[in-house]
Amino acid sequence: MGKQGSPRSARPILQNTNSLFRTKDYHIRSCSDSLGASTDPSIGRRILGGDNYWNSKVVLLHGLKDNSGKFTPCKGVYVGKKHTWFGRNVKPIAFILVLMASLFLLDSLMVSVFGSINLQGSSPTIPSDAHEDDNVVSIHEERPTVQMYGRLLKLASMVLAEKEFKQDSLNFWNEPYHHASKWKPCADKKYRTTPGKPDKSNGYIMVSANGGLNQQRVAICNAVAVASLLNATLVLPKFLYSNVWKDPSQFGDIYQEDYFMRILKDDIDIVKELPPHLKPLDIEAMGTLITDADIVKEAKPDDYITSVLPLLLQNRVVHFLGFGNRLGFDPLPPHLQRLRCKCNFHALKFVLKIQKVGSLLIKRIKKYYAAPRQLDKQLLGDFAPGISPKQHNIARGPSRYLALHLRFEEDMVAYSLCDFGGGDYEKKELEAYRDVHFPLLIERLKNSKPVSPVELRKLGRCPLTPEEAALVLAALGFKPETYIYLAGSQIYGGSSRMQPFTSLYPNLVTKETLLTSSELAPFKNFSSQLAALDFIACATSDVFAMTDSGSQLSSLVSGFRTYYGDGHAPTLRPNKKRLAAILSENRTIGWNTFEDRVRKMIEEGQRVQLRGSGRSIYRQPRCPECMCRS
């Protein structure tokens, strides 16, 4: 393991599943280092009580049964005469035996201590000052490995071992449809039919957005469209502090304010704060504070014109509080759709601090032979990695990687009401979590007909487990040596859940294993800024795999890859309902059949299609308002 503060190479989280996702062992290690602990770089952790102990036992004891008084084959240990030598040295020998026994017991004790510690994050090497909320270190009693598809896992392991040194027959590293490259970004293009800014503003729109990084991003661009619709001036959006996210970050901590204002200056007026004469106003008392309860979800333009515009004209300012998904996608005038795309794909650039560390993160994962792509430049700016010397590339590791957004956090698992094979303990734990965090769900369940976990799975409503994600990747032909970047850090169940995945794909890395504690320190307690690093790593990956198409991160990342990928940024989208039907035959289905069905499912999700009516323009920008077909 590298020293604290030193750059880390792109190494897997583990090679030994017994050490998976364990909590910090720095204090324990500092005591054991003086005991001759050895380092195994392939595992990425110290192995206490290494070969030195056993070698010393052989050197000290070999030949003690030989009474000849000569040197034994283990040269350097003289046995001496039967009584005199042994009599003189009986105390040192006894002391050495006791010491060896103590060291052996200490080694066993440490292994048992490590085995009883579970990390609900994704890395055993999280820096000591890593973020406490997004990278939660939790201590639980040791749980057995949970496997729901043991037979398929064994088949996958055998097939992957056979294919390890064979050339790929199917290549999911590339987009399967070449005409995807015909669609080019053009949301920032000027059109003569696009209405310009009004001569006079109707007032000021304030927005305090809730949620995390990705929900806030959507709220910002929706606010830009609403400001244009109402001929209003937009005050730079604020972010609400949430007890869930616990992040005090504001717009300027994540995005470049002046760049944002400059890119949109021809479309709307944006100011950093209200003018002095409006600041003292009690907006709530005036009745111009608009919460999510005051405006319907996916509202249409007419809703804003009839209910919001009169308030704006009367009071010169309105304040949207929350603003979660409060503007629908259709029907909407083309110039407003285009403005949304321009905001999301062009105006919102991460601040230099995030770009710099994001670039460092990518450099730790992979090497670069070619010039940076448009996708890299947009997300990383001047920090986009350039062409590196070939000899440098060879020493650095993989040239490509797959990013996986595995939505298997405790809140999502509990809310789903599904069964994940963890037995009574897991059921009781998730019930207790629901009682505390989802009281409204509990009340709704009391007044509705229950749906069985089996039926929920058939309907495709259950989050994919790490085991299911691994089986999908294996069916697609990704080899065991594939480097996989895992976004997020709160996998429910820790090592017991991740073991099936890492048994097939051991080269698993996260931002916590790739960056040092000092590099992560500026992001401590800023979950949205940490999420921005995951966004960068996922969007710039060679392949992006999602397990939940409804996730905001997955939706925005896949949209970015469509918009800037030039037809060379494949995204894998499993259909959970279809996959559940395939996996329901796990006791009898042959591997070849399993492969064929999974591959067809993924290929259908990769078809080049225009955005459908009502679909998110952030996720599916392939439409005339956002992209141009060459």
Side-chain angles (χ1 to χ4, degrees):
M1 292 181 63
K3 296 179 180 179
Q4 288 283 346
S6 61
R8 301 183 182 187
S9 60
R11 66 183 184 282
I13 286 179
L14 57 104
Q15 299 284 353
N16 185 334
T17 55
N18 292 332
S19 66
L20 179 64
F21 292 91
R22 292 185 179 148
T23 54
K24 304 170 190 177
D25 51 359
Y26 304 117
H27 298 300
I28 298 174
R29 288 179 183 174
S30 62
C31 298
S32 61
D33 287 348
S34 61
L35 300 178
S38 62
T39 302
D40 185 342
S42 68
I43 297 178
R45 67 180 180 95
R46 295 290 182 99
I47 301 178
L48 303 173
D51 293 339
N52 292 341
Y53 295 158
W54 303 109
N55 291 339
S56 62
K57 184 184 291 188
V58 172
V59 171
L60 291 167
L61 299 182
H62 186 76
L64 286 179
K65 293 182 181 180
D66 191 339
N67 297 329
S68 65
K70 297 180 181 180
F71 286 102
T72 66
C74 183
K75 296 181 181 180
V77 179
Y78 183 75
V79 178
K81 293 184 179 180
K82 184 173 184 178
H83 300 290
T84 58
W85 185 91
F86 188 82
R88 279 198 317 269
N89 295 283
V90 65
K91 289 183 178 181
I93 292 172
F95 174 75
I96 290 169
L97 288 172
V98 171
L99 177 62
M100 289 167 51
S102 300
L103 293 175
F104 182 78
L105 289 172
L106 179 62
D107 178 49
S108 300
L109 177 62
M110 287 185 174
V111 171
S112 66
V113 168
F114 282 131
S116 67
I117 296 175
N118 233 343
L119 172 61
Q120 275 199 328
S122 59
S123 165
T125 54
I126 293 178
S128 59
D129 59 350
H131 192 269
E132 296 174 359
D133 298 311
D134 272 23
N135 312 292
V136 177
V137 179
S138 302
I139 298 177
H140 297 276
E141 63 184 65
E142 185 176 5
R143 304 183 194 182
T145 297
V146 180
Q147 285 189 4
M148 299 175 68
Y149 311 100
R151 174 180 167 273
L152 277 176
L153 276 176
K154 289 179 181 177
L155 291 175
S157 181
M158 291 188 292
V159 170
L160 290 178
E162 292 174 2
K163 292 182 177 179
E164 188 168 2
F165 302 105
K166 294 181 181 178
Q167 191 171 1
D168 294 329
S169 56
L170 284 178
N171 194 352
F172 281 91
W173 288 102
N174 299 311
E175 286 271 13
Y177 302 101
H178 298 296
H179 53 289
S181 61
K182 294 181 179 180
W183 288 89
K184 307 293 182 183
C186 65
D188 59 340
K189 185 178 178 182
K190 293 183 179 180
Y191 293 87
R192 287 179 294 178
T193 56
T194 301
K197 290 190 300 185
D199 295 331
K200 184 180 178 181
S201 171
N202 287 330
Y204 294 86
I205 287 181
M206 301 172 63
V207 173
S208 295
N210 59 13
L213 174 80
N214 302 293
Q215 293 90 336
Q216 290 165 352
R217 189 181 187 102
V218 170
I220 292 168
C221 295
N222 286 347
V224 167
V226 169
S228 177
L229 173 68
L230 301 180
N231 290 339
T233 298
L234 178 66
V235 180
L236 210 61
K238 303 288 185 184
F239 299 152
L240 292 173
Y241 180 86
S242 165
N243 289 327
V244 175
W245 303 103
K246 297 180 181 178
D247 184 353
S249 297
Q250 288 302 321
F251 190 102
D253 299 313
I254 300 173
Y255 303 109
Q256 298 178 35
E257 293 180 347
D258 293 336
Y259 183 88
F260 176 77
M261 297 169 70
R262 185 172 70 252
I263 294 298
L264 297 174
K265 65 181 176 61
D266 294 330
D267 303 287
I268 60 171
D269 285 324
I270 304 175
V271 295
K272 292 187 177 181
E273 56 185 23
L274 281 175
H277 70 279
L278 292 178
K279 284 183 179 180
L281 295 178
D282 188 340
I283 294 175
E284 186 173 2
M286 294 165 57
T288 57
L289 180 67
I290 302 173
T291 68
D292 284 354
D294 299 319
I295 193 161
V296 298
K297 194 174 183 180
E298 307 291 343
K300 295 177 172 59
D302 286 346
D303 297 323
Y304 285 93
I305 292 171
T306 56
S307 62
V308 178
L309 183 58
L311 291 174
L312 181 65
L313 292 172
Q314 178 182 342
N315 299 308
R316 297 290 295 165
V317 59
V318 294
H319 184 184
F320 291 102
L321 189 65
F323 207 60
N325 296 319
R326 283 311 184 263
L327 180 62
F329 291 101
D330 293 291
L332 203 68
H335 74 277
L336 292 183
Q337 294 283 38
R338 189 175 300 115
L339 188 54
R340 275 172 144 178
C341 285
K342 185 176 181 179
C343 170
N344 183 49
F345 298 114
H346 294 273
L348 288 174
K349 270 201 174 185
F350 292 124
V351 293
L352 300 185
K353 179 182 79 170
I354 293 174
Q355 287 185 350
K356 181 178 180 181
V357 178
S359 176
L360 190 62
L361 188 62
I362 304 305
K363 290 175 183 175
R364 297 271 170 83
I365 305 175
K366 64 180 287 186
K367 57 191 176 183
Y368 284 80
Y369 288 112
R373 304 162 296 174
Q374 191 176 6
L375 185 59
D376 304 318
K377 292 178 180 177
Q378 178 62 26
L379 287 170
L380 299 172
D382 293 337
F383 296 98
I387 302 173
S388 51
K390 195 167 185 179
Q391 63 270 20
H392 181 55
N393 293 335
I394 294 171
R396 286 187 50 209
S399 61
R400 59 187 183 181
Y401 72 98
L402 178 148
L404 172 65
H405 188 212
L406 189 56
R407 290 298 311 279
F408 202 72
E409 300 90 349
E410 187 170 14
D411 59 344
M412 190 167 185
V413 171
Y415 195 86
S416 71
L417 302 174
C418 297
D419 178 34
F420 299 95
D424 290 338
Y425 180 91
E426 183 176 275
K427 289 179 182 178
K428 291 178 181 177
E429 184 177 62
L430 295 177
E431 284 176 3
Y433 188 93
R434 282 192 291 271
D435 290 339
V436 174
H437 297 279
F438 302 125
L440 294 179
L441 173 65
I442 300 300
E443 286 299 316
R444 192 165 72 244
L445 291 174
K446 291 178 182 177
N447 302 316
S448 61
K449 183 180 179 181
V451 181
S452 71
V454 173
E455 187 64 23
L456 288 171
R457 189 168 294 279
K458 286 181 180 179
L459 294 171
R461 296 181 185 175
C462 298
L464 295 194
T465 66
E467 180 183 11
E468 290 168 334
L471 288 171
V472 170
L473 295 180
L476 298 179
F478 287 98
K479 294 184 176 181
E481 67 268 20
T482 302
Y483 263 74
I484 299 175
Y485 178 90
L486 182 64
S489 304
Q490 297 182 8
I491 303 302
Y492 173 68
S495 60
S496 65
R497 280 291 171 189
M498 287 303 298
Q499 195 278 333
F501 188 100
T502 52
S503 68
L504 296 182
Y505 296 100
N507 293 329
L508 194 66
V509 295
T510 68
K511 56 185 176 294
E512 291 81 18
T513 59
L514 293 166
L515 300 172
T516 66
S517 58
S518 60
E519 290 162 348
L520 282 168
F523 302 93
K524 184 179 180 181
N525 298 327
F526 298 107
S527 61
S528 291
Q529 296 180 42
L530 284 168
L533 297 179
D534 276 337
F535 189 102
I536 289 171
C538 290
T540 60
S541 63
D542 297 276
V543 176
F544 174 59
M546 63 174 75
T547 59
D548 178 26
S549 59
S551 155
Q552 284 277 26
L553 173 66
S554 294
S555 294
L556 291 173
V557 165
S558 63
F560 246 82
R561 293 171 65 81
T562 297
Y563 191 79
Y564 283 115
D566 198 28
H568 301 293
T571 296
L572 311 179
R573 301 179 181 88
N575 181 307
K576 290 191 290 185
K577 187 175 181 179
R578 286 183 61 179
L579 183 61
I582 298 170
L583 289 171
S584 67
E585 303 173 28
N586 72 88
R587 295 182 180 179
T588 56
I589 193 170
W591 183 257
N592 289 338
T593 303
F594 179 74
E595 270 189 355
D596 290 341
R597 292 174 67 179
V598 169
R599 289 176 177 181
K600 286 178 182 176
M601 173 189 70
I602 295 297
E603 285 171 347
E604 287 182 16
Q606 291 182 310
R607 288 177 178 172
V608 179
Q609 296 176 330
L610 287 176
R611 182 184 73 91
S613 178
R615 298 290 185 176
S616 169
I617 208 158
Y618 306 119
R619 178 185 174 185
Q620 298 178 357
R622 200 177 279 126
C623 61
E625 294 86 359
C626 285
M627 302 183 73
C628 299
R629 186 171 181 175
S630 60

